[in-house]
Structure formats: C-alpha cells, structure tokens
Amino acid sequence: MRLPKVDYGEAFQVSLTNGYGFVQCVREATKTECEIIRVLPGIYGEKDNHSIEKIIEKKELFFLQLPVKHAIKQKLLRPMGKFPVPLDSKAPRFFRTEHIIGTEFVSWHIVDSETLQIRPVKYLSPEEKKLSEWDIISIPDLVEKIETSWTPENWI
C-alpha cells in the first residue's frame, strides 16, 4: 500500500493522554521521508475540532521533522483539512541539535535545512536558543513535547 500524499498547509490531530494536540505541515524535509511540521500550543478536547481555524492561527511552539505519511498510514495522525499557514509561520531555514559523543556534550550544531551544512557552536546566542530541534521524532516523542509544553528555549 502506497503512502498518502501530504500537502503544504494540511493540519493533523494527534491523540494525547489527556486530549488532543494539533500540528501543521509546512514543508517537505530535505533528503528524508519526512515533513517539517509546526507544533501548535495547547491541549484540546473533541469539541475544539470546530475551532481548528483559530488553533491554526496561533503562534507555533516549535518546528520538527516527522514522518507524517507513515503516521497517517498507521492512523497515529488524524487529517483535519488544509489551512493557510500564517505568514510568520513558514518553515525556518536553521535548526539546532546537540552533538554528543558517548555521554559527553561536545557542541551544538546549527543546521541549514536547505543545504544540510552544519556549523558547530559551543555556546548558543539568544537567537540560536530559539531554533527548533533538527531531529526526526516519533509520535510518542511528539506527544511528550506537547503534553509538557516543551519549547526550544527550555531545551538546555
């Protein structure tokens, strides 16, 4: 069975332990089988599905790479429709990730998502602390991030 097509602007509902969260596809990730999604703030109930447009308009908490097509196929994401991506919520060009060898932190890597070039930095600037995580995550990891209100600023 083929993977479903995912379009720019499509929104999805993810089941949490205490309700639902929402994400929106904003770009296909370079050289992966993943999409870059914006993760929207809040935990919602079934009744909130009627106000999805207002939820989509909110400022995202962060961006991530997620294998959306696979998650849809496994019924881990529920399609909610296609919505305009707010102008200030386009997929960012730069992300960050930790460079760890064994258990030792070596540096941060600032990743250019278009060229996949990496720039190592030992200490993050205030602007770099706002960069989203460059990693492909699983649905359980996404759920945990939404339920704990994780943001890049509190990732140290």
Side-chain angles (χ1 to χ4, degrees):
M1 185 173 174
R2 291 176 35 156
L3 292 174
K5 186 176 184 308
V6 176
D7 290 323
Y8 176 80
E10 277 194 78
F12 302 92
Q13 182 186 71
V14 59
S15 293
L16 310 173
T17 58
N18 53 350
Y20 299 101
F22 293 96
V23 300
Q24 185 179 33
C25 180
V26 293
R27 192 174 91 203
E28 199 168 63
T30 304
K31 297 185 181 182
T32 69
E33 289 286 322
C34 296
E35 288 70 38
I36 295 177
I37 58 166
R38 54 190 289 261
V39 179
L40 300 162
I43 296 172
Y44 302 91
E46 195 67 41
K47 65 178 175 29
D48 295 309
N49 287 344
H50 301 294
S51 57
I52 182 96
E53 291 88 358
K54 291 193 185 310
I55 296 169
I56 295 294
E57 291 172 0
K58 291 183 177 185
K59 178 73 177 152
E60 67 281 336
L61 293 173
F62 52 91
F63 296 86
L64 283 174
Q65 292 182 80
L66 185 75
V68 172
K69 296 173 189 110
H70 295 279
I72 295 167
K73 185 176 177 181
Q74 296 172 358
K75 300 189 185 325
L76 299 172
L77 290 177
R78 178 179 165 205
M80 301 301 292
K82 191 172 175 181
F83 301 91
V85 175
L87 292 177
D88 61 343
S89 294
K90 303 285 186 211
R93 179 168 180 171
F94 295 97
F95 290 79
R96 68 176 161 129
T97 189
E98 294 174 299
H99 178 61
I100 298 173
I101 297 178
T103 58
E104 185 179 334
F105 173 83
V106 177
S107 66
W108 290 98
H109 280 175
I110 307 302
V111 181
D112 182 326
S113 67
E114 293 176 12
T115 66
L116 301 181
Q117 294 290 316
I118 295 172
R119 179 176 52 90
V121 296
K122 191 69 169 179
Y123 302 101
L124 297 170
S125 70
E127 280 305 306
E128 290 168 336
K129 288 180 181 179
K130 296 176 185 175
L131 296 176
S132 291
E133 180 179 14
W134 181 254
D135 200 4
I136 298 171
I137 67 159
S138 65
I139 293 294
D141 289 338
L142 173 64
V143 166
E144 180 181 350
K145 287 179 184 301
I146 294 171
E147 289 180 344
T148 61
S149 301
W150 184 91
T151 64
E153 291 88 352
N154 62 28
W155 174 31
I156 304 293

